[in-house]
Amino acid sequence: MSDQAPPYAPLPVVSALPPDPNSTSSANPILLLPNPAFPNKRKRTGFRRKVPSGSPAAAAPSPAVPSQPARPASAADDIIVINREPTAEAVTALTAGFPVDSLTDEEIEAGVVSDVGGIEQVNYILIRNHLLCRWRETYNSWLAKEPFATLIPPHCEHLLNAAYSFLVSHSYVNFGVAPAIKERIPKEPTRPTTVVVIGAGLAGLAAARQLVAFGFKVIVLEGRKRCGGRVYTKKMEGSGRSAAADLGGSVLTGTFGNPLGIVAKQLGLPMHKIRDKCPLYRPDGSPVDPEVDKNVEITFNKLLDKSSNLRASMGEVAADVSLGAALETLRQADGGISTQEEKNLFNWHLANLEYANAGLLSKLSLAFWDQDDPYDMGGDHCFLPGGNVKLVQALAENVPIVYERSVHTVRYGGDGVQVVVNGGQVYEGDMALCTVPLGVLKTGGIKFVPELPQRKLDSIKRLGFGLLNKVAMLFPHVFWSTDLDTFGHLVEDPRRRGEFFLFYSYATVAGGPLLMALVAGEAAHNFETMPPTDAVSSVLQILRGIYEPQGIEVPDPLQSVCTRWGTDSFSLGSYSHVAVGASGDDYDILAESVGDGRLFFAGEATTRRYPATMHGAFISGLREAANITLHANARVAKTKVDKSSSANTQACATILTDLFRQPDLEFGSFSVIFGGKADPKSPAILKVEFGAQRKKNATGGAKAEQNHSNKLLFQQLQSHFNQQQQLYVYTLLSRQQAMELREVRGGDDMRLHYLCEKMGVKLVGRKGLGPGADAVIASIKAQRNRSRAKPGPSKLKKSSKPNVASS
């Protein structure tokens, strides 16, 4: 995009009331959007067939944007009107992952507005959506802020600055491989900070590339001889024929908001829409009756709806039940599947569902297996002609990668990180980003020193990591129909339902006559030990059973490749799913940094919105590049504060002391002040008091200390007790965590143990809270000032707050 201002007229201003997010009244000025951007086109491509009526996706509200009714008011009450259709821009924001009528947690933490929920927020969202939409249209250009300055009313200039800064720093705009983007990357590091990235898959490449653009010194360690991780395109050749076979991640899902779709466009690569047509064939090779196929599909989707209703009625118990058990119980009760062919068809749909989740239905959580459905990016599912290696190569360009460096130990602490690879070589840095697959974390393939917090270890254990395998075959010529991209095959043995159940035709995109057979579910695990010659023979038998009765000869393949992702030491599986006992929260926990902002995590298993996808891995890398930058900036700011005794920090310390004179919650030696609205994820600041005024534990603190593993902490605290000194330590957590901590029984010592060992929270002095907490402190102060300014009783009086005695 040119740095010159676009030929738009200045934005007119109208007055309006802000939408009340809590109101359900028809008078609430919210314009509901239809859902044409998210068509239900998923038929046979291995994606979930439909959104069940009782699923989280079905329960999610339709996107909404503020309407613009007018009333006389001051400029502070004005809603700006951007010279575009706000509904279309809201849809663009929605596909990029933004709630169109509220702020993300990251935006709130960044302090993009001073008054969450008011007119200022409405205007910020309109500006943010407009900037995002503009860059999505001009993705080959650098989006500059200046051209928009003349379009925004003066009283909203700070919102333009905030929206632009947030979108750039969090890589929602100005990312990728376009020349205009690449020319902005500094030739040499502009920061003194070194980041070690473990893994050169999509997450690692996205993070490393963005960190280099942000001026960091970056080194990427990759155990393989290639980059891309589970995205692997192999060139297959034979008798003058060749084709590019995607043996790992292969489908770009939802191209409306998919950032990898933008990278593909920047490279000038066309995307091939996967067509819906997918005929099915019986075990003997004859085609399935379309009417029978249609009826079984209707029954299958009806049972998915019933399973959603069942989990709704079960409540929390559903978290301990598998989707497979629920579907089988409902199938038997329904009685709609009776003939052998109907059973074979039904099992094919089950295999397709296991493919979508890379997990056995007997392991998938009934409660949360589809928790990510509300965040579907919308649009078509596509193949990339020539393979996804084109994306990988472009993202890896000029990124410093060292290959054949298998990491076995990561040490992290206050002074930085040390990453030890095979052969004993040590790479040192200020921070590290771990992007290895969940399968590697599950088996303890990397030793972390100190050990990861228990809550993260528990999430690693709870989440599922399944398997999908493929047989790729390059033929002398195309003998199958080229007017379809997929076809399926049924089996009679339910245990083998996922064995070569779906075929992908890559003939139109791979550069040669390439056919891919997929193996999912239990069959994928058995496939790991099947001799490759037996696998290819079985596939050829299926193909000849289908085509030879039609008079079509099926030749032997020129080259065949069988994947073994389950035994690949660098992956140990394919992609993640929500197993029984797990939930979407486990993705968030896996994404949490540890070591006071020294060790970070990315990868498809760290994003609850887009797990098990290539774009999920890519987005998680961009996310962590932003997080690393935030922590690096905070560390630099802290250093400056320590050297100059910043007046701002002293002011925040004074404010914090005043705020804790009237805490929102007290229990034992713990007190809490809440920020934001009554949202479980809203920020809170916890203070723990030690010393002469320490409250007595009902069970006695001395005995409890013996049960704690963090003895050094307790010894240090005990020395303060003995000296009758008062010590205050703090931490930043969520409202939900504070309420959870309040319920811990056993007194203060047990709460300390739970806080440090189970939650993985580190207690620090006031200065250790950092700029992030300063923003929360300022927000709470402003909120209380507004409350005091309103008539009527204050919500912050001691008499109105909970006062929970120590248990």
Side-chain angles (χ1 to χ4, degrees):
M1 167 177 182
S2 169
D3 287 342
Q4 298 298 316
Y8 302 150
L11 299 179
V13 175
V14 297
S15 300
L17 285 168
D20 178 4
N22 298 317
S23 172
T24 57
S25 167
S26 59
N28 192 35
I30 294 290
L31 174 64
L32 296 181
L33 301 180
N35 284 320
F38 303 102
N40 236 333
K41 295 184 178 180
R42 301 168 177 180
K43 184 165 175 59
R44 318 273 197 189
T45 53
F47 310 104
R48 300 185 183 104
R49 299 299 298 266
K50 66 190 291 288
V51 178
S53 59
S55 71
S62 299
V65 292
S67 62
Q68 300 165 355
R71 73 172 177 87
S74 66
D77 290 331
D78 291 337
I79 293 181
I80 62 175
V81 179
I82 295 182
N83 200 15
R84 285 178 173 275
E85 174 55 52
T87 298
E89 295 189 342
V91 170
T92 297
L94 184 66
T95 61
F98 285 99
V100 292
D101 56 352
S102 61
L103 302 178
T104 64
D105 291 342
E106 292 78 13
E107 286 176 305
I108 294 174
E109 291 173 5
V112 295
V113 297
S114 59
D115 183 18
V116 176
I119 283 289
E120 187 182 42
Q121 173 177 306
V122 174
N123 285 334
Y124 168 85
I125 290 173
L126 289 170
I127 295 171
R128 174 248 280 161
N129 292 356
H130 184 63
L131 293 175
L132 185 63
C133 189
R134 186 64 179 150
W135 189 73
R136 288 291 175 112
E137 295 171 352
T138 59
Y139 47 79
N140 276 322
S141 302
W142 179 270
L143 183 73
K145 178 180 62 176
E146 290 73 21
F148 299 92
T150 58
L151 310 179
I152 304 298
H155 72 279
C156 289
E157 182 180 356
H158 68 292
L159 298 180
L160 172 62
N161 294 334
Y164 182 82
S165 176
F166 181 84
L167 292 174
V168 172
S169 64
H170 287 72
S171 305
Y172 285 101
V173 302
N174 294 342
F175 66 84
V177 296
I181 307 298
K182 292 193 290 186
E183 69 183 17
R184 299 279 183 144
I185 298 176
K187 302 299 182 183
E188 298 292 336
T190 58
R191 295 170 175 263
T193 308
T194 298
V195 182
V196 181
V197 178
I198 304 170
L202 285 178
L205 292 177
R209 188 171 192 86
Q210 209 65 3
L211 288 169
V212 170
F214 290 162
F216 289 88
K217 181 180 179 181
V218 177
I219 182 71
V220 182
L221 305 178
E222 170 55 51
R224 305 179 191 271
K225 297 180 180 180
R226 61 170 180 83
C227 55
R230 286 168 282 168
V231 178
Y232 176 37
T233 307
K234 178 177 176 57
K235 184 177 182 181
M236 300 181 65
E237 298 177 291
S239 301
R241 295 282 191 178
S242 65
D246 277 321
L247 300 179
S250 57
V251 181
L252 293 182
T253 53
T255 53
F256 279 172
N258 196 320
L260 289 177
I262 292 178
V263 175
K265 291 176 183 178
Q266 290 174 334
L267 293 170
L269 301 176
M271 287 177 281
H272 173 81
K273 175 192 172 184
I274 301 175
R275 291 165 286 189
D276 293 335
K277 183 179 180 181
C278 181
L280 299 182
Y281 296 91
R282 299 188 179 100
D284 63 3
S286 60
V288 170
D289 185 325
E291 192 64 26
V292 176
D293 181 16
K294 177 182 177 182
N295 290 337
V296 172
E297 182 172 2
I298 291 173
T299 299
F300 174 77
N301 285 328
K302 181 177 69 174
L303 293 181
L304 276 182
D305 283 338
K306 287 185 176 180
S307 72
S308 296
N309 295 333
L310 177 63
R311 71 179 172 194
S313 65
M314 292 174 68
E316 295 182 358
V317 179
D320 298 320
V321 178
S322 73
L323 175 64
L327 286 175
E328 179 57 22
T329 300
L330 293 168
R331 183 192 69 80
Q332 293 179 8
D334 180 79
I337 304 295
S338 56
T339 69
Q340 185 60 49
E341 179 161 272
E342 289 172 340
K343 291 178 181 179
N344 294 343
L345 278 164
F346 188 79
N347 281 325
W348 187 92
H349 287 287
L350 295 180
N352 196 39
L353 201 55
E354 290 180 320
Y355 163 34
N357 293 275
L360 304 178
L361 293 183
S362 60
K363 303 293 185 182
L364 286 179
S365 168
L366 170 63
F368 302 112
W369 70 275
D370 57 350
Q371 60 85 36
D372 58 310
D373 275 358
Y375 309 109
D376 190 313
M377 287 186 162
D380 298 324
H381 305 302
C382 298
F383 290 138
L384 197 64
N388 294 318
V389 66
K390 294 186 176 181
L391 298 177
V392 171
Q393 289 175 341
L395 293 171
E397 182 184 7
N398 295 327
V399 173
I401 306 172
V402 184
Y403 295 100
E404 298 184 85
R405 295 294 189 274
S406 301
V407 173
H408 62 73
T409 303
V410 176
R411 302 189 185 98
Y412 62 97
D415 295 330
V417 297
Q418 291 182 331
V419 181
V420 187
V421 301
N422 53 314
Q425 187 175 0
V426 178
Y427 291 85
E428 295 186 342
D430 298 283
M431 291 177 278
L433 172 63
C434 180
T435 71
V436 301
L438 177 60
V440 176
L441 294 176
K442 277 182 169 292
T443 57
I446 296 179
K447 180 181 179 181
F448 294 93
V449 182
E451 189 176 38
L452 297 177
Q454 190 61 48
R455 69 189 252 109
K456 188 180 287 285
L457 294 175
D458 290 343
S459 290
I460 290 171
K461 182 178 180 180
R462 281 192 297 263
L463 281 174
F465 196 65
L467 189 59
L468 173 73
N469 275 313
K470 301 180 181 181
V471 179
M473 296 166 292
L474 176 67
F475 288 97
H477 58 269
V478 176
F479 56 84
W480 58 93
S481 175
T482 56
D483 66 346
L484 52 81
D485 295 311
T486 58
F487 60 91
H489 178 257
L490 312 183
V491 296
E492 293 188 354
D493 185 350
R495 295 169 299 180
R496 297 175 53 207
R497 65 193 179 204
E499 185 176 283
F500 317 124
F501 82 103
L502 185 66
F503 288 79
Y504 273 143
S505 168
Y506 282 84
T508 56
V509 296
L514 181 70
L515 201 60
M516 195 90 71
L518 273 57
V519 192
E522 184 179 350
H525 292 271
N526 297 333
F527 183 80
E528 293 278 323
T529 56
M530 181 185 293
T533 53
D534 292 354
V536 174
S537 296
S538 296
V539 174
L540 288 175
Q541 184 178 356
I542 292 171
L543 292 173
R544 285 166 179 158
I546 294 172
Y547 289 102
E548 287 185 351
Q550 304 177 38
I552 300 173
E553 180 182 355
V554 176
D556 289 334
L558 301 173
Q559 185 184 11
S560 301
V561 176
C562 298
T563 65
R564 296 284 189 269
W565 288 108
T567 51
D568 184 319
S569 62
F570 296 110
S571 62
L572 299 175
S574 298
Y575 39 93
S576 64
H577 59 262
V578 183
V580 174
S583 72
D585 291 342
D586 290 307
Y587 288 113
D588 289 339
I589 293 171
L590 201 55
E592 292 172 351
S593 63
V594 299
D596 195 22
R598 293 295 183 178
L599 178 59
F600 300 79
F601 293 84
E604 58 85 14
T606 70
T607 167
R608 75 183 299 162
R609 290 189 172 193
Y610 315 112
T613 63
M614 291 188 292
H615 64 267
F618 182 80
I619 289 172
S620 75
L622 299 181
R623 177 198 71 210
E624 292 312 303
N627 285 337
I628 288 171
T629 303
L630 179 65
H631 279 80
N633 291 344
R635 199 163 282 123
V636 170
K638 182 177 181 298
T639 301
K640 292 179 179 178
V641 166
D642 290 342
K643 290 181 178 179
S644 63
S645 187
S646 167
N648 287 336
T649 298
Q650 293 177 7
C652 279
T654 302
I655 294 172
L656 188 65
T657 300
D658 290 339
L659 292 175
F660 271 108
R661 297 184 195 280
Q662 291 184 314
D664 296 306
L665 196 64
E666 278 187 299
F667 46 95
S669 298
F670 297 75
S671 53
V672 184
I673 54 175
F674 293 133
K677 299 180 180 179
D679 181 349
K681 295 183 179 180
S682 62
I685 297 178
L686 172 74
K687 182 178 81 170
V688 186
E689 177 183 351
F690 299 105
Q693 303 302 318
R694 188 187 186 207
K695 297 177 178 63
K696 298 293 184 181
N697 290 330
T699 59
K703 293 181 180 179
E705 186 274 333
Q706 298 173 4
N707 298 322
H708 303 311
S709 59
N710 196 343
K711 292 187 177 181
L712 178 59
L713 171 63
F714 283 86
Q715 289 170 358
Q716 291 174 340
L717 296 179
Q718 191 64 47
S719 69
H720 285 281
F721 302 157
N722 295 337
Q723 296 173 30
Q724 295 294 291
Q725 295 178 351
Q726 281 187 295
L727 170 68
Y728 300 102
V729 288
Y730 303 85
T731 192
L732 190 64
L733 36 62
S734 67
R735 176 186 287 259
Q736 180 177 343
Q737 287 176 312
M739 302 303 291
E740 181 181 334
L741 184 64
R742 182 186 65 173
E743 299 304 317
V744 173
R745 302 302 176 188
D748 287 350
D749 288 334
M750 289 307 298
R751 291 193 184 102
L752 269 174
H753 173 68
Y754 190 87
L755 182 70
C756 298
E757 299 295 327
K758 297 295 184 182
M759 290 186 173
V761 170
K762 181 178 180 180
L763 295 169
V764 296
R766 163 63 194 98
K767 291 184 178 180
L769 282 174
D774 291 348
V776 175
I777 293 168
S779 175
I780 296 174
K781 176 67 173 176
Q783 178 183 336
R784 291 194 179 183
N785 287 342
R786 288 195 298 271
S787 298
R788 292 189 182 111
K790 295 178 181 178
S794 171
K795 295 181 180 180
L796 297 174
K797 291 182 179 179
K798 282 189 175 181
S799 59
S800 65
K801 70 175 179 62
N803 188 1
V804 181
S806 176
S807 59

